[in-house]
Amino acid sequence: MVVIDLAAKRKGGKCPMCGAPGEEKYRPFCSRRCADLDLAKWLNGNYSVPVVEMDEGDLEELDAMIENDGDLREKDY
């Protein structure tokens, strides 16, 4: 029987908050403090996904493109 120790194979990596070596207990962070700071950034809205707003003209242009060109997946972009 072959036993593979995945924990030994994992690289520690660096903490995304401070750059210190990561700890297995707080992975990928180095400490609970850095993990909590990261969570606070998410909860405060510091991390966000940008949204592109489309106006009515953009939607009409997209509809026309779909009607004229058929399936958009067939085109080479």
Side-chain angles (χ1 to χ4, degrees), residues 23-65:
E23 289 288 326
E24 184 66 28
K25 183 176 179 180
Y26 304 106
R27 197 172 155 244
F29 303 101
C30 66
S31 65
R32 180 169 182 138
R33 178 184 176 275
C34 282
D36 288 345
L37 288 172
D38 183 70
L39 177 61
K41 284 187 173 190
W42 280 106
L43 295 176
N44 289 331
N46 293 356
Y47 296 141
S48 62
V49 177
V51 176
V52 176
E53 297 284 333
M54 295 182 77
D55 62 7
E56 194 66 35
D58 294 333
L59 293 174
E60 290 172 2
E61 183 180 339
L62 183 60
D63 285 338
M65 185 187 306

